[in-house]
Amino acid sequence: MNLFVSQTIVIQQLKVEGIQNSSVLQIGSAGVIQPVSQLFNTGGFTGPAPLIPDPDAPSVPLGPPS
């Protein structure tokens, strides 16, 4: 038996506190959610990334406060 669900969803506001790897945000209906995890090395890196000098320093230089 095939079941087809037709929905109209109107979202006025959606607040997501946090989403991480392997998280699923679902709106509506789904029969089966099959997880997919893909990792790509598009830069051709062969070793670990270099350590950052000061982990507490911002990674993007910030301008003076206005």
Side-chain angles (χ1 to χ4, degrees), residues 8-66:
T8 300
I9 300 174
V10 178
I11 300 172
Q12 297 295 332
Q13 182 178 3
L14 176 65
K15 183 176 180 181
V16 178
E17 291 291 331
I19 196 161
Q20 301 175 2
N21 289 348
S22 302
S23 295
V24 174
L25 174 63
Q26 176 183 337
I27 300 172
S29 297
V32 176
I33 297 176
Q34 296 180 351
V36 175
S37 179
Q38 298 174 337
L39 179 63
F40 298 102
N41 184 7
T42 58
F45 299 104
T46 58
L51 296 175
I52 56 175
D54 182 7
D56 295 326
S59 57
V60 176
L62 303 175
S66 52

